[in-house]
Amino acid sequence: MLSLRVPTPTSFRRLHAGRSRLSRDCLFSYSPSFVNRGVRLRVRSTKSEVALTPAEEEEEVTLPEELQPELMPKHVAIIMDGNGRWAKNQGLQPWDGHRAGVEALKEIVELSGRWGIQVLTVFAFSTDNWIRPRIEIDFLFSLFERSLKSEFQNLAKNDVRISIIGDSSKLPKSLLRLINEVEEGTKNNTRLQLIVAVGYSGKYDVLQACRGIAQRVKDGEIDVDEIDEGLIEQELETNCTEFPYPDLLIRTSGELRVSNFLLWQLAYTELFFAQELWPDFGRSGYVEALMSFQQRQRRFGGRKS
Amino acid sequence: MAELPGQIKRMSGGIKQLLEQIFGFSRRCLFRIISMGPIPNHLAFIMDGNRRYAKKCGLEEGSGHKAGFSALMLMLQYCYELGIQYVTIYAFSIDNFRRQPEEVQSLMDLMLEKIKSLLEKESIVHQYGIRVYFIGNLALLNDQVRAAAEKVMNATAKNSRVVLLICIAYNSTDEILQAVKKSCINKYTYNIEASGSYKHEDTDSEIEAKDIENQEKKIQLVDIEENMQMSVAPNPDILIRSSGETRLSNFLLWQTGNSQLCFPAALWPEIGLRHLVWAILNFQRSHSYLEKRKKQL
């Protein structure tokens, strides 16, 4: 299939550049529209301004050679921890850290789409985060709104479906309207599903599932004896996806905790704890996490003979 | 000359005793130093790696689990010496029933033997005054094991110094499911009773009163939590899984949301004091930050 992309200089230089996140500003400036992921592009638009070397082009579209395509996880979950600490280390304000975090997220979303990951769930805002200063919370939500608005078109073009999970009752109304619009606008996209957990906690998810089930029992739809794990799974907020259970959970910044994220769904998830702070995570951190995942032996309580 | 082997034996026995006393003394000194910082209240263990240990040492199948049991007794001793009040162990998962029947049977036999041994006078239960709970879907166990477990629970019910929670035929999702079921049953029963006794006069007050009723009827977090089997203990401060695997394997998912996770590479029978100390030092490092957050919440 012909690629009609017009690559801009910045988006290719960054592949070989160091880790400067703030300077990156147009990750989604082009939209490769190829059908077969992992296949090297043979034809490029004659209008391209920058001549790509074969190595750069290959690195762009194919899976890194350290990773095996058949062992890629279907669903990756990420706790994006460390924005505040990153900003402090750089002598910046916390909101600069969050801005850098959004750039890091854009890169990971792009890589996930290219590398055949079907679902990416990110922990954007926990119920515990409500204790943060009001000014930081307001900034976070306005950043979220701005990012959604600016990335909406690109996400649609890149065939990314967005779903938001969590308790939306405390979110600003303008953000809620935008979320509905984005969810509606991308609901038919199939390449990658990006689930953003905002105002979310694993316990809250199980509680609302329990309430849903109790209502169904009250309405006479189901009998109490029919309540089983499958029913709970159906009622959890991750019912918006075909693959509700993450295969891999990545937490950055070196903290060894799950912090109440995706409680039920993490029963058999492989955990990976990265030392880097989230804005520094990037491609190499992601490859390392995926490599670690591919080397694991998953037994689910049984035995490998 | 004939006395020499006997003398050597006595001497080596004496040296061994002396070394044990020295190690014990050093350990207690170390614990005293560690206790100057915060000590976790509740430690949970996933005892993984017994079979791999047996294979590694060239032992027969069941020996790995026996070695694992000895390691467990040692760890319990360290924990209770250090002043940790609650210890939870993942003895047998519901998923483990999927293993070969011979392995499941030998594990059941081993567990029956060890559960019965807990009631003996010299056992660790009496040494430390442990109250023992068996957490899990006990109906899935065979009658002998279940009866032995219930006997131990009854016999230790009056102990109050320290607590040991043994998760057997347990899955966190199963525990949550049972709690959800109970919460639904309780609320459903409450709803039937409430609607039965309610009398309405006109439509306006009916709607208003129904709103109030709806608020009361909604299941809350505490309703689920009080129906969880693990509600007899506070949430674990630290979860340690041996053998280097980094996953939770459906263990205490609800309770370990904010727990420090540790994944030492050692196989369970190789677990020792240094792993415990390392886990506690890491816990102390992040403790002050977590306490601050808890107060804010």
Side-chain angles (χ1 to χ4, degrees), chain A residues 211 259 268 270-271 296 300, chain B residues 95-96 98 219 246-247 257:
Chain A
R211 283 178 180 164
S259 294
Y268 300 100
E270 296 290 332
L271 311 175
R296 305 214 186 159
F300 300 95
Chain B
D95 299 322
N96 295 152
R98 288 206 309 257
I219 295 176
T246 50
R247 50 178 182 257

Side-chain angles (χ1 to χ4, degrees), chain A residues 2-35:
Chain A
L2 279 178
S3 159
L4 297 175
R5 66 182 182 185
V6 180
T8 62
T10 47
S11 49
F12 287 102
R13 258 183 239 137
R14 70 166 165 83
L15 285 174
H16 302 285
R19 294 165 178 263
S20 67
R21 293 287 171 266
L22 283 175
S23 58
R24 205 171 343 114
D25 57 0
C26 50
L27 281 180
F28 285 114
S29 56
Y30 59 91
S31 57
S33 52
F34 47 88
V35 172

Side-chain angles (χ1 to χ4, degrees), chain A residues 99-116:
Chain A
R99 227 183 269 128
V102 169
E103 296 303 312
L105 175 59
K106 284 181 191 172
E107 182 180 17
I108 298 298
V109 170
E110 192 187 332
L111 292 174
S112 303
R114 289 174 184 281
W115 292 348

Side-chain angles (χ1 to χ4, degrees), chain B residues 8-25:
Chain B
I8 292 173
K9 255 196 194 158
R10 276 195 298 277
M11 267 177 66
S12 66
I15 291 173
K16 196 174 164 198
Q17 234 181 356
L18 184 65
L19 282 173
E20 274 172 13
Q21 283 182 351
I22 293 175
F23 284 144
F25 178 72

Side-chain angles (χ1 to χ4, degrees), chain B residues 52-212:
Chain B
R52 267 170 282 171
Y53 176 80
K55 208 168 170 182
K56 183 174 155 185
C57 299
L59 305 168
E60 57 171 34
E61 276 276 335
S63 315
H65 295 290
K66 290 200 179 94
F69 183 78
S70 310
L72 171 63
M73 289 297 112
L74 214 52
M75 288 305 269
L76 286 179
Q77 181 191 346
Y78 296 154
C79 287
Y80 295 135
E81 262 181 27
L82 198 47
I84 294 169
Q85 211 186 350
Y86 294 88
V87 177
T88 304
I89 58 172
Y90 202 6
F92 194 86
S93 158
I94 295 178
D95 299 322
N96 295 152
F97 280 116
R98 288 206 309 257
R99 294 186 182 176
Q100 295 296 320
E102 307 83 47
E103 189 184 344
V104 174
Q105 188 55 46
S106 80
L107 279 170
M108 288 292 148
D109 292 338
L110 177 67
M111 281 195 289
L112 182 62
E113 180 196 325
K114 297 305 177 191
I115 292 173
K116 281 183 175 164
S117 74
L118 289 176
L119 288 173
E120 284 159 19
K121 287 210 174 65
E122 316 84 38
S123 86
I124 198 172
V125 164
H126 292 102
Q127 195 183 352
Y128 291 102
I130 306 178
R131 178 164 187 182
V132 181
Y133 287 98
F134 284 90
I135 309 280
N137 200 339
L138 302 185
L140 297 175
L141 297 168
N142 66 46
D143 295 333
Q144 283 181 304
V145 178
R146 188 173 48 252
E150 278 161 10
K151 193 170 174 190
V152 170
M153 282 200 277
N154 290 332
T156 60
K158 292 208 180 74
N159 295 347
S160 56
R161 271 185 64 203
V162 289
V163 182
L164 173 64
L165 301 108
I166 303 175
C167 291
I168 186 169
Y170 174 89
N171 252 358
S172 194
T173 46
D174 183 65
E175 185 194 8
I176 296 173
L177 170 67
Q178 302 306 331
V180 162
K181 259 188 181 168
K182 281 195 198 129
S183 308
C184 288
I185 291 172
N186 290 345
K187 280 294 168 183
Y188 188 50
T189 324
Y190 168 80
N191 293 350
I192 289 177
E193 285 169 8
S195 60
S197 59
Y198 179 66
K199 288 189 177 84
H200 42 267
E201 285 169 7
D202 61 1
T203 45
D204 284 342
S205 65
E206 181 185 324
I207 294 166
E208 193 186 292
K210 258 216 162 77
D211 279 341
I212 297 170

Side-chain angles (χ1 to χ4, degrees), chain B residues 232-267:
Chain B
V232 293
N235 290 338
D237 298 295
I238 308 177
L239 171 66
I240 299 177
R241 181 187 184 131
S242 58
S243 89
E245 304 282 0
T246 50
R247 50 178 182 257
L248 301 171
S249 293
N250 215 336
F251 182 55
L252 300 183
L253 300 172
W254 183 275
Q255 295 83 354
T256 53
N258 287 310
S259 307
Q260 178 87 8
L261 305 174
C262 281
F263 301 103
L267 302 171

